[in-house]
PDB file of all heavy atoms in Angstrom:
ATOM      1  N   ILE P 117      90.404   8.311   0.619  1.00 33.00           N
ATOM      2  CA  ILE P 117      89.844   8.587   1.970  1.00 33.00           C
ATOM      3  C   ILE P 117      88.456   9.259   1.922  1.00 33.00           C
ATOM      4  O   ILE P 117      87.561   8.846   2.647  1.00 33.00           O
ATOM      5  CB  ILE P 117      90.820   9.414   2.780  1.00 33.00           C
ATOM      6  CG1 ILE P 117      92.128   8.660   2.868  1.00 33.00           C
ATOM      7  CG2 ILE P 117      90.276   9.712   4.179  1.00 33.00           C
ATOM      8  CD1 ILE P 117      92.015   7.231   3.370  1.00 33.00           C
ATOM      9  N   VAL P 147      92.061   3.246   6.322  1.00 63.00           N
ATOM     10  CA  VAL P 147      91.232   4.196   7.044  1.00 63.00           C
ATOM     11  C   VAL P 147      92.100   4.984   7.995  1.00 63.00           C
ATOM     12  O   VAL P 147      92.827   4.428   8.786  1.00 63.00           O
ATOM     13  CB  VAL P 147      90.129   3.459   7.826  1.00 63.00           C
ATOM     14  CG1 VAL P 147      89.364   4.434   8.699  1.00 63.00           C
ATOM     15  CG2 VAL P 147      89.218   2.758   6.854  1.00 63.00           C
ATOM     16  N   GLU P 148      92.008   6.276   7.904  1.00 57.00           N
ATOM     17  CA  GLU P 148      92.729   7.121   8.847  1.00 57.00           C
ATOM     18  C   GLU P 148      91.760   7.626   9.910  1.00 57.00           C
ATOM     19  O   GLU P 148      90.561   7.550   9.770  1.00 57.00           O
ATOM     20  CB  GLU P 148      93.381   8.302   8.101  1.00 57.00           C
ATOM     21  CG  GLU P 148      94.440   7.885   7.114  1.00 57.00           C
ATOM     22  CD  GLU P 148      95.567   7.044   7.702  1.00 57.00           C
ATOM     23  OE1 GLU P 148      95.960   7.316   8.857  1.00 57.00           O
ATOM     24  OE2 GLU P 148      96.052   6.144   7.047  1.00 57.00           O
ATOM     25  N   GLN P 149      92.358   8.186  10.962  1.00 52.00           N
ATOM     26  CA  GLN P 149      91.558   8.588  12.122  1.00 52.00           C
ATOM     27  C   GLN P 149      90.445   9.561  11.748  1.00 52.00           C
ATOM     28  O   GLN P 149      89.325   9.462  12.236  1.00 52.00           O
ATOM     29  CB  GLN P 149      92.482   9.179  13.163  1.00 52.00           C
ATOM     30  CG  GLN P 149      91.828   9.330  14.495  1.00 52.00           C
ATOM     31  CD  GLN P 149      92.856   9.688  15.545  1.00 52.00           C
ATOM     32  OE1 GLN P 149      94.030   9.704  15.271  1.00 52.00           O
ATOM     33  NE2 GLN P 149      92.383  10.000  16.722  1.00 52.00           N
ATOM     34  N   ALA P 150      90.802  10.507  10.891  1.00 49.00           N
ATOM     35  CA  ALA P 150      89.827  11.572  10.595  1.00 49.00           C
ATOM     36  C   ALA P 150      88.655  11.079   9.785  1.00 49.00           C
ATOM     37  O   ALA P 150      87.623  11.743   9.714  1.00 49.00           O
ATOM     38  CB  ALA P 150      90.553  12.688   9.855  1.00 49.00           C
ATOM     39  N   SER P 151      88.774   9.929   9.141  1.00 58.00           N
ATOM     40  CA  SER P 151      87.710   9.470   8.292  1.00 58.00           C
ATOM     41  C   SER P 151      87.298   8.058   8.604  1.00 58.00           C
ATOM     42  O   SER P 151      87.101   7.258   7.720  1.00 58.00           O
ATOM     43  CB  SER P 151      88.179   9.566   6.839  1.00 58.00           C
ATOM     44  OG  SER P 151      89.287   8.728   6.644  1.00 58.00           O
ATOM     45  N   SER P 152      87.196   7.722   9.888  1.00 61.00           N
ATOM     46  CA  SER P 152      86.863   6.353  10.221  1.00 61.00           C
ATOM     47  C   SER P 152      85.401   6.075   9.833  1.00 61.00           C
ATOM     48  O   SER P 152      84.539   6.921  10.032  1.00 61.00           O
ATOM     49  CB  SER P 152      87.043   6.114  11.715  1.00 61.00           C
ATOM     50  OG  SER P 152      86.140   6.901  12.445  1.00 61.00           O
ATOM     51  N   PRO P 153      85.165   4.899   9.283  1.00 68.00           N
ATOM     52  CA  PRO P 153      83.795   4.581   8.874  1.00 68.00           C
ATOM     53  C   PRO P 153      82.884   4.588  10.101  1.00 68.00           C
ATOM     54  O   PRO P 153      83.272   4.265  11.202  1.00 68.00           O
ATOM     55  CB  PRO P 153      83.925   3.162   8.320  1.00 68.00           C
ATOM     56  CG  PRO P 153      85.361   3.007   7.998  1.00 68.00           C
ATOM     57  CD  PRO P 153      86.111   3.866   8.964  1.00 68.00           C
ATOM     58  N   LEU P 243      87.067   3.897  20.590  1.00 92.00           N
ATOM     59  CA  LEU P 243      87.313   4.192  19.172  1.00 92.00           C
ATOM     60  C   LEU P 243      88.471   5.164  18.964  1.00 92.00           C
ATOM     61  O   LEU P 243      89.343   4.925  18.152  1.00 92.00           O
ATOM     62  CB  LEU P 243      86.044   4.701  18.485  1.00 92.00           C
ATOM     63  CG  LEU P 243      86.187   4.979  17.007  1.00 92.00           C
ATOM     64  CD1 LEU P 243      86.546   3.671  16.245  1.00 92.00           C
ATOM     65  CD2 LEU P 243      84.953   5.589  16.425  1.00 92.00           C
ATOM     66  N   GLU P 244      88.453   6.231  19.749  1.00 91.00           N
ATOM     67  CA  GLU P 244      89.483   7.258  19.584  1.00 91.00           C
ATOM     68  C   GLU P 244      90.888   6.686  19.842  1.00 91.00           C
ATOM     69  O   GLU P 244      91.808   6.854  19.061  1.00 91.00           O
ATOM     70  CB  GLU P 244      89.214   8.405  20.538  1.00 91.00           C
ATOM     71  CG  GLU P 244      90.164   9.549  20.415  1.00 91.00           C
ATOM     72  CD  GLU P 244      90.174  10.437  21.671  1.00 91.00           C
ATOM     73  OE1 GLU P 244      89.283  10.281  22.529  1.00 91.00           O
ATOM     74  OE2 GLU P 244      91.070  11.286  21.768  1.00 91.00           O
ATOM     75  N   LEU P 245      90.973   5.944  20.926  1.00 93.00           N
ATOM     76  CA  LEU P 245      92.253   5.351  21.300  1.00 93.00           C
ATOM     77  C   LEU P 245      92.642   4.277  20.271  1.00 93.00           C
ATOM     78  O   LEU P 245      93.809   4.156  19.890  1.00 93.00           O
ATOM     79  CB  LEU P 245      92.126   4.742  22.698  1.00 93.00           C
ATOM     80  CG  LEU P 245      93.381   4.448  23.458  1.00 93.00           C
ATOM     81  CD1 LEU P 245      94.289   5.668  23.569  1.00 93.00           C
ATOM     82  CD2 LEU P 245      93.043   3.924  24.849  1.00 93.00           C
ATOM     83  N   PHE P 246      91.662   3.524  19.840  1.00 93.00           N
ATOM     84  CA  PHE P 246      91.904   2.483  18.870  1.00 93.00           C
ATOM     85  C   PHE P 246      92.500   3.041  17.585  1.00 93.00           C
ATOM     86  O   PHE P 246      93.502   2.525  17.044  1.00 93.00           O
ATOM     87  CB  PHE P 246      90.564   1.774  18.563  1.00 93.00           C
ATOM     88  CG  PHE P 246      90.599   0.839  17.394  1.00 93.00           C
ATOM     89  CD1 PHE P 246      91.196  -0.424  17.502  1.00 93.00           C
ATOM     90  CD2 PHE P 246      90.037   1.166  16.183  1.00 93.00           C
ATOM     91  CE1 PHE P 246      91.229  -1.298  16.428  1.00 93.00           C
ATOM     92  CE2 PHE P 246      90.051   0.313  15.099  1.00 93.00           C
ATOM     93  CZ  PHE P 246      90.667  -0.930  15.232  1.00 93.00           C
ATOM     94  N   LEU P 247      91.913   4.144  17.103  1.00 92.00           N
ATOM     95  CA  LEU P 247      92.408   4.734  15.863  1.00 92.00           C
ATOM     96  C   LEU P 247      93.771   5.407  16.032  1.00 92.00           C
ATOM     97  O   LEU P 247      94.528   5.592  15.085  1.00 92.00           O
ATOM     98  CB  LEU P 247      91.388   5.736  15.301  1.00 92.00           C
ATOM     99  CG  LEU P 247      90.120   5.063  14.791  1.00 92.00           C
ATOM    100  CD1 LEU P 247      89.061   6.099  14.476  1.00 92.00           C
ATOM    101  CD2 LEU P 247      90.381   4.176  13.605  1.00 92.00           C
ATOM    102  N   GLN P 248      94.062   5.785  17.286  1.00 92.00           N
ATOM    103  CA  GLN P 248      95.426   6.328  17.551  1.00 92.00           C
ATOM    104  C   GLN P 248      96.473   5.221  17.464  1.00 92.00           C
ATOM    105  O   GLN P 248      97.577   5.426  17.043  1.00 92.00           O
ATOM    106  CB  GLN P 248      95.471   6.927  18.940  1.00 92.00           C
ATOM    107  CG  GLN P 248      94.961   8.339  19.037  1.00 92.00           C
ATOM    108  CD  GLN P 248      94.950   8.799  20.491  1.00 92.00           C
ATOM    109  OE1 GLN P 248      95.739   8.331  21.313  1.00 92.00           O
ATOM    110  NE2 GLN P 248      94.071   9.714  20.782  1.00 92.00           N
ATOM    111  N   ASN P 249      96.067   4.022  17.900  1.00 93.00           N
ATOM    112  CA  ASN P 249      97.041   2.949  18.067  1.00 93.00           C
ATOM    113  C   ASN P 249      97.024   1.918  16.952  1.00 93.00           C
ATOM    114  O   ASN P 249      97.947   1.090  16.890  1.00 93.00           O
ATOM    115  CB  ASN P 249      96.808   2.231  19.392  1.00 93.00           C
ATOM    116  CG  ASN P 249      97.178   3.108  20.574  1.00 93.00           C
ATOM    117  OD1 ASN P 249      98.253   3.718  20.572  1.00 93.00           O
ATOM    118  ND2 ASN P 249      96.343   3.167  21.596  1.00 93.00           N
ATOM    119  N   TYR P 250      96.020   1.932  16.125  1.00 93.00           N
ATOM    120  CA  TYR P 250      95.911   0.927  15.071  1.00 93.00           C
ATOM    121  C   TYR P 250      95.522   1.590  13.754  1.00 93.00           C
ATOM    122  O   TYR P 250      94.776   2.564  13.756  1.00 93.00           O
ATOM    123  CB  TYR P 250      94.834  -0.115  15.431  1.00 93.00           C
ATOM    124  CG  TYR P 250      95.173  -0.933  16.658  1.00 93.00           C
ATOM    125  CD1 TYR P 250      94.776  -0.498  17.936  1.00 93.00           C
ATOM    126  CD2 TYR P 250      95.876  -2.133  16.572  1.00 93.00           C
ATOM    127  CE1 TYR P 250      95.090  -1.238  19.086  1.00 93.00           C
ATOM    128  CE2 TYR P 250      96.186  -2.871  17.699  1.00 93.00           C
ATOM    129  CZ  TYR P 250      95.793  -2.427  18.939  1.00 93.00           C
ATOM    130  OH  TYR P 250      96.093  -3.172  20.057  1.00 93.00           O
ATOM    131  N   ARG P 274     100.013   0.196  15.338  1.00 90.00           N
ATOM    132  CA  ARG P 274     101.002   1.195  14.932  1.00 90.00           C
ATOM    133  C   ARG P 274     102.287   0.975  15.719  1.00 90.00           C
ATOM    134  O   ARG P 274     103.365   1.296  15.258  1.00 90.00           O
ATOM    135  CB  ARG P 274     100.474   2.603  15.206  1.00 90.00           C
ATOM    136  CG  ARG P 274      99.292   2.949  14.286  1.00 90.00           C
ATOM    137  CD  ARG P 274      98.881   4.392  14.468  1.00 90.00           C
ATOM    138  NE  ARG P 274      97.534   4.622  13.995  1.00 90.00           N
ATOM    139  CZ  ARG P 274      97.218   4.905  12.724  1.00 90.00           C
ATOM    140  NH1 ARG P 274      98.159   4.953  11.815  1.00 90.00           N
ATOM    141  NH2 ARG P 274      95.953   5.118  12.377  1.00 90.00           N
TER     142      ARG P 274
END
Side-chain angles (χ1 to χ4, degrees):
Chain P
I117 303 307
V147 174
E148 296 303 325
Q149 193 170 352
S151 62
S152 66
L243 182 61
E244 184 200 348
L245 198 54
F246 170 75
L247 291 171
Q248 277 175 26
N249 290 315
Y250 295 89
R274 294 186 199 275

